[in-house]
């Protein structure tokens, strides 16, 4: 829902990106939670369509929440506006704040058949995908014009045709 809202709000429109601050994320060693990560510096920015801040819109619709840091952490110049939008969404019980559980599949709930380790599992899914002449799917990621990842809800899998 949030991706669709953002697509309608921004695709094909002129946007203005305003860099706000930088934060250095510390290096992390490999452990039970995953692979090692080197130290990374990230730039955080606000994205506007006209005078409309897209982050405020996403939060007001209940598609996102405000990440609250300590007072000493650097944060967005629009932080108060973001918190106000989140409070409004909570009062209206919009989106994430509605208390309902989503019936939509998320990529983490599906078998990712694009990974090399899942090659045998992908072969097992092939007959089910070939059975129908049409398969409903949602584009998750576009690598380039000829390569993309699709979420197939009926089979609970992610494929790359």
């Amino acid at each position: 829902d949030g991706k669709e809202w953002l697509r309608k709000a921004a695709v094909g429109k002129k946007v203005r990106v305003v860099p706000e601050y930088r934060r250095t994320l510390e290096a992390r060693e490999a452990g039970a939670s995953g692979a090692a990560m080197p130290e990374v510096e990230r730039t955080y920015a606000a994205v506007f369509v006209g005078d409309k801040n897209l982050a405020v819109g996403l939060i007001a619709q209940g598609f996102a929440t405000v990440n609250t840091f300590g007072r000493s952490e650097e944060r967005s110049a629009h932080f108060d506006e973001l918190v106000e939008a989140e409070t409004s969404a909570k009062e209206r019980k919009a989106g994430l704040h509605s208390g309902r559980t989503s019936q939509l599949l998320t990529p983490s709930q599906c078998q990712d058949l694009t990974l090399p380790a899942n090659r045998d599992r992908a072969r097992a899914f092939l007959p089910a995908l070939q059975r129908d002449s049409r398969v409903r799917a949602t584009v998750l990621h576009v690598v380039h014009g000829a390569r993309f990842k699709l979420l197939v809800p009926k089979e609970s899998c992610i494929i790359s045709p």
Side-chain angles (χ1 to χ4, degrees), residues 45-129:
V47 181
F48 294 88
V49 173
D51 291 342
K52 184 177 169 186
N53 185 336
L54 291 179
V56 172
L58 277 171
I59 291 169
Q61 294 294 319
F63 296 131
T65 58
V66 178
N67 202 354
T68 54
F69 298 104
R71 293 269 182 222
S72 62
E73 295 273 343
E74 195 169 7
R75 57 187 182 194
S76 173
H78 308 281
F79 184 78
D80 294 334
E81 194 177 348
L82 296 169
V83 170
E84 187 177 307
E86 183 177 29
T87 303
S88 169
K90 284 179 180 178
E91 288 171 357
R92 292 186 331 244
K93 297 190 182 303
L96 296 169
H97 313 291
S98 68
R100 295 187 316 241
T101 57
S102 176
Q103 298 300 316
L104 299 175
L105 283 174
T106 60
S108 63
Q109 296 171 315
C110 298
Q111 297 286 327
D112 190 348
L113 303 179
T114 63
L115 301 174
N118 291 339
R119 182 168 283 159
D120 292 335
R121 192 170 285 144
R123 286 192 186 109
F125 273 89
L126 186 60
L129 294 170

Coordinates of all heavy atoms in Angstrom, one line a residue, residues 45-129:
A45 N 18.0 12.6 3.6 CA 17.5 13.7 2.8 C 16.0 13.7 2.9 O 15.3 12.7 3.2 CB 17.9 13.6 1.4
A46 N 15.4 14.9 2.6 CA 13.9 15.0 2.5 C 13.6 15.1 1.0 O 14.4 15.7 0.2 CB 13.5 16.3 3.2
V47 N 12.5 14.5 0.6 CA 12.1 14.5 -0.8 C 10.8 15.2 -0.9 O 9.8 14.8 -0.2 CB 12.0 13.0 -1.4 CG1 11.6 13.0 -2.8 CG2 13.3 12.3 -1.2
F48 N 10.7 16.2 -1.8 CA 9.5 17.0 -2.0 C 9.0 16.9 -3.4 O 9.8 16.8 -4.4 CB 9.9 18.5 -1.7 CG 10.3 18.8 -0.3 CD1 11.6 18.7 0.1 CD2 9.3 19.2 0.6 CE1 11.9 19.0 1.4 CE2 9.7 19.5 1.9 CZ 11.0 19.4 2.3
V49 N 7.7 16.8 -3.5 CA 7.0 17.0 -4.8 C 6.2 18.3 -4.6 O 5.3 18.4 -3.9 CB 6.0 15.9 -5.1 CG1 5.2 16.1 -6.3 CG2 6.7 14.6 -5.2
G50 N 6.7 19.4 -5.3 CA 6.2 20.7 -5.1 C 6.6 21.1 -3.7 O 7.8 21.1 -3.3
D51 N 5.6 21.5 -2.8 CA 5.9 21.9 -1.4 C 5.6 20.7 -0.5 O 5.7 20.9 0.7 CB 5.0 23.1 -1.0 CG 5.5 24.3 -1.8 OD1 6.6 24.3 -2.3 OD2 4.7 25.3 -1.8
K52 N 5.2 19.5 -1.0 CA 4.7 18.4 -0.2 C 5.9 17.5 0.1 O 6.6 16.9 -0.8 CB 3.7 17.7 -1.0 CG 3.0 16.5 -0.3 CD 1.9 15.9 -1.2 CE 1.4 14.6 -0.7 NZ 0.5 14.0 -1.6
N53 N 6.2 17.3 1.4 CA 7.2 16.4 1.9 C 6.6 15.0 1.8 O 5.7 14.6 2.5 CB 7.6 16.7 3.3 CG 8.8 15.9 3.8 OD1 9.0 14.8 3.4 ND2 9.4 16.5 4.8
L54 N 7.3 14.1 1.0 CA 6.8 12.7 0.8 C 6.8 11.9 2.1 O 5.9 11.1 2.4 CB 7.5 12.0 -0.3 CG 7.3 12.6 -1.7 CD1 8.1 11.8 -2.7 CD2 5.8 12.5 -2.1
A55 N 7.8 12.1 3.0 CA 7.9 11.4 4.2 C 6.7 11.7 5.1 O 6.1 10.8 5.8 CB 9.2 11.7 4.9
V56 N 6.3 13.0 5.2 CA 5.1 13.4 6.0 C 3.9 12.7 5.4 O 3.1 12.2 6.2 CB 5.0 14.9 6.0 CG1 3.7 15.3 6.6 CG2 6.2 15.6 6.7
G57 N 3.8 12.7 4.1 CA 2.6 12.0 3.5 C 2.5 10.5 3.8 O 1.5 10.0 4.2
L58 N 3.7 9.8 3.7 CA 3.7 8.4 4.1 C 3.3 8.1 5.5 O 2.5 7.2 5.8 CB 5.1 7.8 3.8 CG 5.4 7.4 2.4 CD1 6.9 7.1 2.3 CD2 4.6 6.2 1.9
I59 N 3.8 9.0 6.4 CA 3.6 8.8 7.8 C 2.1 9.2 8.1 O 1.4 8.5 8.9 CB 4.6 9.6 8.7 CG1 6.0 9.0 8.5 CG2 4.1 9.7 10.1 CD1 7.1 9.9 9.1
A60 N 1.6 10.2 7.5 CA 0.2 10.6 7.7 C -0.8 9.6 7.3 O -1.9 9.4 7.9 CB -0.1 11.9 7.0
Q61 N -0.4 8.8 6.2 CA -1.3 7.7 5.7 C -1.2 6.5 6.6 O -1.9 5.5 6.4 CB -1.0 7.4 4.3 CG -1.3 8.5 3.3 CD -2.7 8.8 3.2 OE1 -3.5 7.9 3.2 NE2 -3.1 10.1 3.1
G62 N -0.2 6.4 7.5 CA 0.0 5.3 8.3 C 0.8 4.2 7.7 O 0.8 3.1 8.1
F63 N 1.6 4.5 6.7 CA 2.4 3.6 6.0 C 3.9 3.5 6.6 O 4.6 2.7 6.2 CB 2.5 3.9 4.5 CG 1.2 3.8 3.8 CD1 0.8 4.8 2.9 CD2 0.4 2.7 3.9 CE1 -0.4 4.8 2.3 CE2 -0.8 2.6 3.2 CZ -1.2 3.6 2.4
A64 N 4.2 4.4 7.5 CA 5.5 4.5 8.1 C 5.4 5.1 9.5 O 4.4 5.7 9.8 CB 6.5 5.3 7.2
T65 N 6.5 4.9 10.2 CA 6.5 5.5 11.5 C 7.8 6.4 11.7 O 8.7 6.2 10.9 CB 6.6 4.5 12.7 OG1 7.7 3.6 12.5 CG2 5.3 3.6 12.7
V66 N 7.8 7.3 12.6 CA 9.0 8.1 12.9 C 10.0 7.4 13.7 O 9.7 6.8 14.7 CB 8.6 9.4 13.6 CG1 9.8 10.3 13.9 CG2 7.5 10.2 12.8
N67 N 11.2 7.4 13.2 CA 12.3 6.8 14.0 C 12.8 7.8 15.0 O 13.4 8.9 14.6 CB 13.5 6.4 13.0 CG 14.3 5.3 13.5 OD1 14.2 4.9 14.7 ND2 15.3 4.9 12.7
T68 N 12.6 7.5 16.3 CA 13.0 8.5 17.3 C 14.4 8.1 17.9 O 14.6 7.0 18.2 CB 12.0 8.5 18.5 OG1 11.8 7.2 18.9 CG2 10.7 9.1 18.0
F69 N 15.3 9.1 17.9 CA 16.6 8.9 18.4 C 16.8 9.7 19.6 O 15.9 10.5 20.0 CB 17.7 9.4 17.3 CG 17.6 8.6 16.1 CD1 17.0 9.1 14.9 CD2 18.1 7.3 16.0 CE1 17.0 8.4 13.7 CE2 18.1 6.6 14.8 CZ 17.5 7.1 13.7
G70 N 17.9 9.6 20.3 CA 18.2 10.4 21.4 C 18.3 11.9 21.0 O 18.5 12.2 19.9
R71 N 18.2 12.8 22.0 CA 18.2 14.2 21.7 C 19.5 14.6 21.1 O 19.6 15.6 20.4 CB 17.9 15.0 23.0 CG 16.5 14.8 23.5 CD 15.6 15.9 22.9 NE 14.3 15.8 23.4 CZ 13.2 15.9 22.6 NH1 13.4 16.2 21.4 NH2 12.0 15.8 23.1
S72 N 20.6 13.9 21.4 CA 21.9 14.3 21.0 C 22.2 13.9 19.5 O 23.1 14.4 18.8 CB 23.0 13.7 21.8 OG 22.9 12.2 21.7
E73 N 21.3 13.0 19.0 CA 21.5 12.5 17.6 C 21.0 13.6 16.7 O 20.0 14.3 16.9 CB 20.6 11.3 17.4 CG 21.1 10.1 18.1 CD 22.2 9.3 17.4 OE1 22.3 9.5 16.2 OE2 22.8 8.5 18.0
E74 N 21.6 13.8 15.5 CA 21.2 14.7 14.5 C 20.0 14.1 13.9 O 19.9 12.9 13.6 CB 22.3 14.9 13.5 CG 22.1 16.1 12.6 CD 23.3 16.5 11.8 OE1 24.2 15.7 11.8 OE2 23.2 17.5 11.1
R75 N 19.0 15.0 13.5 CA 17.7 14.5 12.9 C 17.2 15.5 11.9 O 17.7 16.6 11.8 CB 16.7 14.1 14.0 CG 16.4 15.3 14.9 CD 15.5 14.8 16.0 NE 15.1 15.9 16.9 CZ 14.6 15.8 18.0 NH1 14.3 14.7 18.5 NH2 14.3 16.9 18.7
S76 N 16.1 15.1 11.3 CA 15.5 15.9 10.2 C 15.1 17.3 10.7 O 14.6 17.4 11.8 CB 14.3 15.2 9.6 OG 13.7 16.0 8.7
A77 N 15.2 18.2 9.8 CA 14.7 19.6 10.1 C 13.2 19.6 10.2 O 12.6 20.5 10.7 CB 15.2 20.6 9.0
H78 N 12.6 18.5 9.6 CA 11.1 18.4 9.6 C 10.6 17.4 10.7 O 9.5 16.9 10.6 CB 10.7 18.0 8.2 CG 11.2 18.8 7.1 ND1 10.7 20.0 6.8 CD2 12.3 18.6 6.3 CE1 11.4 20.5 5.8 NE2 12.4 19.7 5.5
F79 N 11.4 17.2 11.7 CA 11.1 16.1 12.7 C 9.8 16.4 13.4 O 9.0 15.5 13.5 CB 12.2 16.0 13.7 CG 12.0 15.0 14.7 CD1 12.3 13.6 14.4 CD2 11.6 15.2 16.0 CE1 12.1 12.6 15.3 CE2 11.4 14.2 16.9 CZ 11.7 12.9 16.6
D80 N 9.5 17.6 13.8 CA 8.3 18.0 14.5 C 7.1 17.7 13.6 O 6.0 17.2 14.0 CB 8.3 19.4 15.0 CG 9.4 19.6 16.0 OD1 9.7 18.7 16.7 OD2 9.9 20.8 16.2
E81 N 7.2 18.1 12.3 CA 6.1 17.8 11.3 C 5.9 16.3 11.2 O 4.7 15.9 11.1 CB 6.5 18.5 10.0 CG 5.4 18.6 9.0 CD 5.9 19.3 7.8 OE1 7.0 19.9 7.7 OE2 5.1 19.3 6.8
L82 N 6.9 15.5 11.2 CA 6.8 14.1 11.0 C 6.1 13.5 12.2 O 5.2 12.6 12.1 CB 8.2 13.4 10.8 CG 9.0 13.8 9.6 CD1 10.4 13.3 9.7 CD2 8.3 13.3 8.4
V83 N 6.5 13.9 13.4 CA 5.9 13.4 14.7 C 4.4 13.8 14.7 O 3.5 13.0 15.1 CB 6.6 13.9 15.9 CG1 5.9 13.6 17.2 CG2 8.0 13.4 16.0
E84 N 4.1 15.0 14.3 CA 2.7 15.5 14.3 C 1.8 14.6 13.3 O 0.7 14.2 13.6 CB 2.6 16.9 13.8 CG 1.3 17.6 13.9 CD 1.4 19.1 13.5 OE1 2.2 19.8 14.1 OE2 0.6 19.5 12.6
A85 N 2.4 14.3 12.1 CA 1.7 13.4 11.2 C 1.5 12.0 11.7 O 0.4 11.4 11.5 CB 2.5 13.3 9.9
E86 N 2.5 11.5 12.5 CA 2.3 10.2 13.1 C 1.2 10.2 14.2 O 0.4 9.3 14.3 CB 3.7 9.7 13.7 CG 3.6 8.3 14.2 CD 4.9 7.8 14.8 OE1 5.7 8.6 15.2 OE2 5.1 6.5 14.7
T87 N 1.2 11.2 15.0 CA 0.2 11.3 16.0 C -1.2 11.4 15.4 O -2.1 10.7 15.9 CB 0.4 12.6 16.9 OG1 1.8 12.6 17.4 CG2 -0.6 12.8 18.0
S88 N -1.3 12.1 14.3 CA -2.6 12.2 13.6 C -3.0 10.8 13.0 O -4.2 10.5 13.1 CB -2.5 13.2 12.5 OG -3.6 13.2 11.6
A89 N -2.1 10.1 12.5 CA -2.4 8.8 11.9 C -2.8 7.8 13.0 O -3.7 7.0 12.8 CB -1.1 8.2 11.2
K90 N -2.1 7.9 14.2 CA -2.5 7.0 15.3 C -3.9 7.4 15.8 O -4.7 6.4 16.1 CB -1.5 7.2 16.5 CG -0.2 6.5 16.2 CD 0.8 6.7 17.4 CE 2.1 6.0 17.1 NZ 3.1 6.3 18.2
E91 N -4.2 8.6 15.9 CA -5.6 9.0 16.3 C -6.7 8.5 15.4 O -7.7 8.1 15.8 CB -5.7 10.6 16.5 CG -4.9 11.1 17.6 CD -4.8 12.6 17.6 OE1 -5.3 13.3 16.7 OE2 -4.2 13.2 18.6
R92 N -6.4 8.6 14.1 CA -7.3 8.1 13.1 C -7.3 6.6 12.9 O -8.1 6.0 12.1 CB -7.1 8.8 11.7 CG -7.3 10.3 11.7 CD -7.2 10.8 10.3 NE -6.2 10.0 9.6 CZ -5.0 10.3 9.1 NH1 -4.6 11.4 9.2 NH2 -4.1 9.6 8.6
K93 N -6.3 5.9 13.5 CA -6.0 4.5 13.4 C -5.8 4.1 11.9 O -6.4 3.2 11.4 CB -7.2 3.7 14.0 CG -7.3 3.9 15.5 CD -8.3 2.9 16.0 CE -8.5 3.0 17.5 NZ -7.4 3.0 18.3
A94 N -5.0 4.9 11.2 CA -4.7 4.7 9.8 C -3.5 3.7 9.6 O -2.6 3.7 10.4 CB -4.3 6.0 9.2
G95 N -3.6 2.9 8.6 CA -2.6 2.0 8.2 C -2.0 1.1 9.3 O -2.7 0.3 9.8
L96 N -0.7 1.3 9.6 CA -0.1 0.5 10.6 C -0.7 0.6 12.0 O -0.6 -0.4 12.8 CB 1.4 0.9 10.8 CG 2.3 0.7 9.6 CD1 3.6 1.5 9.8 CD2 2.6 -0.7 9.3
H97 N -1.4 1.6 12.2 CA -2.0 1.9 13.6 C -3.4 1.4 13.7 O -4.0 1.6 14.7 CB -1.9 3.4 13.9 CG -0.6 4.0 13.6 ND1 0.5 3.7 14.3 CD2 -0.2 4.8 12.6 CE1 1.6 4.4 13.8 NE2 1.2 5.1 12.8
S98 N -3.9 0.7 12.7 CA -5.3 0.3 12.7 C -5.5 -0.9 13.6 O -6.7 -1.2 14.0 CB -5.7 -0.1 11.3 OG -5.0 -1.3 10.8
G99 N -4.5 -1.6 14.0 CA -4.6 -2.8 14.8 C -4.9 -4.1 14.1 O -4.9 -5.2 14.6
R100 N -5.2 -4.0 12.8 CA -5.5 -5.1 11.9 C -4.2 -5.7 11.5 O -3.2 -5.0 11.2 CB -6.4 -4.8 10.7 CG -7.7 -4.3 11.1 CD -8.6 -4.1 9.8 NE -7.8 -3.4 8.8 CZ -8.2 -2.3 8.3 NH1 -9.2 -1.6 8.7 NH2 -7.4 -1.7 7.3
T101 N -4.2 -7.0 11.3 CA -3.0 -7.6 10.7 C -3.2 -7.7 9.2 O -4.3 -7.9 8.7 CB -2.8 -9.1 11.3 OG1 -3.9 -9.8 11.0 CG2 -2.5 -9.1 12.7
S102 N -2.1 -7.5 8.5 CA -2.2 -7.4 7.0 C -2.4 -8.8 6.5 O -1.7 -9.8 6.9 CB -0.9 -6.8 6.5 OG -0.9 -6.8 5.1
Q103 N -3.2 -8.9 5.5 CA -3.4 -10.2 4.8 C -2.5 -10.3 3.6 O -2.4 -11.4 2.9 CB -4.9 -10.3 4.3 CG -5.9 -10.2 5.4 CD -5.7 -11.4 6.3 OE1 -5.5 -12.5 6.0 NE2 -5.8 -11.1 7.6
L104 N -1.7 -9.3 3.3 CA -0.7 -9.3 2.2 C 0.5 -10.1 2.6 O 1.0 -9.9 3.8 CB -0.4 -7.9 1.8 CG -1.5 -7.0 1.3 CD1 -1.1 -5.6 1.0 CD2 -2.2 -7.6 0.1
L105 N 1.1 -10.7 1.7 CA 2.4 -11.4 1.9 C 3.5 -10.4 1.9 O 3.5 -9.4 1.1 CB 2.7 -12.4 0.8 CG 1.9 -13.8 0.9 CD1 2.2 -14.6 -0.4 CD2 2.3 -14.5 2.1
T106 N 4.5 -10.6 2.7 CA 5.7 -9.8 2.6 C 6.8 -10.6 2.1 O 6.8 -11.9 2.2 CB 6.1 -9.2 4.0 OG1 6.4 -10.3 4.8 CG2 5.0 -8.4 4.6
P107 N 7.8 -10.0 1.5 CA 8.9 -10.8 0.9 C 9.6 -11.8 1.9 O 10.0 -12.9 1.6 CB 9.9 -9.8 0.4 CG 9.1 -8.6 0.1 CD 8.0 -8.6 1.1
S108 N 9.6 -11.4 3.2 CA 10.2 -12.2 4.2 C 9.4 -13.5 4.5 O 9.9 -14.5 5.1 CB 10.4 -11.5 5.5 OG 9.2 -11.1 6.0
Q109 N 8.1 -13.5 4.1 CA 7.3 -14.7 4.3 C 7.3 -15.7 3.1 O 6.6 -16.7 3.2 CB 5.8 -14.2 4.5 CG 5.6 -13.4 5.7 CD 4.2 -12.8 5.8 OE1 3.7 -12.3 4.8 NE2 3.6 -12.9 6.9
C110 N 8.0 -15.3 2.1 CA 8.1 -16.1 0.9 C 9.4 -16.8 0.6 O 10.4 -16.4 1.2 CB 7.8 -15.2 -0.3 SG 6.2 -14.4 -0.3
Q111 N 9.4 -17.8 -0.2 CA 10.6 -18.5 -0.6 C 11.2 -17.7 -1.7 O 10.6 -17.4 -2.7 CB 10.2 -19.9 -1.2 CG 9.6 -20.9 -0.2 CD 10.6 -21.4 0.8 OE1 11.8 -21.6 0.4 NE2 10.2 -21.6 2.0
D112 N 12.5 -17.3 -1.5 CA 13.2 -16.5 -2.6 C 13.9 -17.5 -3.5 O 14.9 -18.0 -3.2 CB 14.2 -15.6 -1.9 CG 14.8 -14.6 -2.9 OD1 14.6 -14.8 -4.2 OD2 15.4 -13.6 -2.5
L113 N 13.2 -17.8 -4.6 CA 13.8 -18.7 -5.6 C 14.8 -18.2 -6.5 O 15.4 -18.9 -7.3 CB 12.6 -19.3 -6.4 CG 11.5 -20.0 -5.6 CD1 10.4 -20.5 -6.6 CD2 12.0 -21.1 -4.7
T114 N 15.2 -16.9 -6.3 CA 16.2 -16.3 -7.1 C 17.6 -16.6 -6.5 O 18.6 -16.3 -7.2 CB 16.0 -14.8 -7.2 OG1 16.1 -14.2 -5.9 CG2 14.7 -14.4 -7.8
L115 N 17.7 -17.0 -5.3 CA 19.0 -17.3 -4.7 C 19.6 -18.6 -5.2 O 18.9 -19.6 -5.4 CB 18.9 -17.4 -3.2 CG 18.3 -16.2 -2.5 CD1 18.0 -16.5 -1.0 CD2 19.2 -15.0 -2.6
P116 N 20.9 -18.6 -5.4 CA 21.6 -19.9 -5.9 C 21.3 -21.1 -5.0 O 21.2 -22.2 -5.5 CB 23.0 -19.5 -6.0 CG 23.1 -18.0 -6.0 CD 21.9 -17.6 -5.3
A117 N 21.2 -20.9 -3.7 CA 21.0 -22.0 -2.8 C 19.6 -22.7 -3.0 O 19.4 -23.8 -2.6 CB 21.2 -21.5 -1.4
N118 N 18.7 -22.0 -3.6 CA 17.3 -22.5 -3.8 C 17.1 -23.0 -5.2 O 15.9 -23.1 -5.6 CB 16.3 -21.4 -3.4 CG 16.3 -21.1 -1.9 OD1 16.8 -21.9 -1.1 ND2 15.8 -19.9 -1.6
R119 N 18.1 -23.4 -5.9 CA 17.9 -23.8 -7.3 C 17.0 -25.1 -7.4 O 16.1 -25.1 -8.2 CB 19.3 -24.1 -7.9 CG 19.2 -24.5 -9.3 CD 20.5 -24.5 -10.0 NE 20.9 -23.1 -10.2 CZ 22.1 -22.7 -10.4 NH1 23.1 -23.5 -10.4 NH2 22.3 -21.4 -10.7
D120 N 17.2 -26.0 -6.5 CA 16.4 -27.2 -6.5 C 14.9 -26.9 -6.1 O 14.0 -27.5 -6.7 CB 16.9 -28.3 -5.5 CG 18.3 -28.9 -6.0 OD1 18.5 -28.8 -7.2 OD2 19.1 -29.3 -5.2
R121 N 14.8 -26.1 -5.2 CA 13.4 -25.7 -4.8 C 12.7 -24.9 -5.9 O 11.5 -25.1 -6.2 CB 13.5 -24.8 -3.5 CG 12.1 -24.6 -2.9 CD 12.2 -23.9 -1.6 NE 12.7 -24.8 -0.6 CZ 13.5 -24.5 0.4 NH1 13.9 -23.3 0.6 NH2 13.9 -25.4 1.3
A122 N 13.5 -24.1 -6.7 CA 12.9 -23.4 -7.8 C 12.4 -24.4 -8.9 O 11.3 -24.2 -9.5 CB 13.9 -22.5 -8.4
R123 N 13.1 -25.5 -9.1 CA 12.7 -26.5 -10.1 C 11.4 -27.2 -9.6 O 10.6 -27.5 -10.4 CB 13.8 -27.6 -10.2 CG 15.0 -27.1 -11.0 CD 15.9 -28.3 -11.4 NE 17.1 -27.7 -12.1 CZ 18.3 -27.7 -11.5 NH1 18.5 -28.2 -10.3 NH2 19.3 -27.2 -12.2
A124 N 11.2 -27.3 -8.3 CA 10.0 -27.9 -7.8 C 8.8 -26.9 -8.0 O 7.7 -27.4 -8.2 CB 10.1 -28.2 -6.3
F125 N 9.0 -25.6 -8.0 CA 7.9 -24.7 -8.2 C 7.6 -24.5 -9.7 O 6.5 -24.0 -10.0 CB 8.3 -23.3 -7.6 CG 8.0 -23.1 -6.2 CD1 8.9 -23.5 -5.2 CD2 6.8 -22.6 -5.8 CE1 8.6 -23.3 -3.9 CE2 6.5 -22.4 -4.5 CZ 7.4 -22.8 -3.5
L126 N 8.5 -24.9 -10.6 CA 8.3 -24.6 -12.0 C 7.0 -25.2 -12.6 O 6.3 -24.4 -13.2 CB 9.5 -25.2 -12.8 CG 9.5 -24.8 -14.3 CD1 9.5 -23.3 -14.5 CD2 10.7 -25.5 -15.0
P127 N 6.6 -26.4 -12.3 CA 5.3 -26.9 -12.8 C 4.1 -26.1 -12.4 O 3.2 -25.9 -13.2 CB 5.3 -28.4 -12.3 CG 6.7 -28.8 -12.0 CD 7.3 -27.5 -11.6
A128 N 4.1 -25.7 -11.1 CA 3.0 -24.9 -10.6 C 2.9 -23.6 -11.3 O 1.8 -23.1 -11.6 CB 3.2 -24.7 -9.1
L129 N 4.0 -23.0 -11.7 CA 4.0 -21.7 -12.4 C 3.7 -21.9 -13.8 O 3.1 -21.0 -14.5 CB 5.4 -21.0 -12.2 CG 5.7 -20.6 -10.8 CD1 7.2 -20.1 -10.7 CD2 4.8 -19.5 -10.3

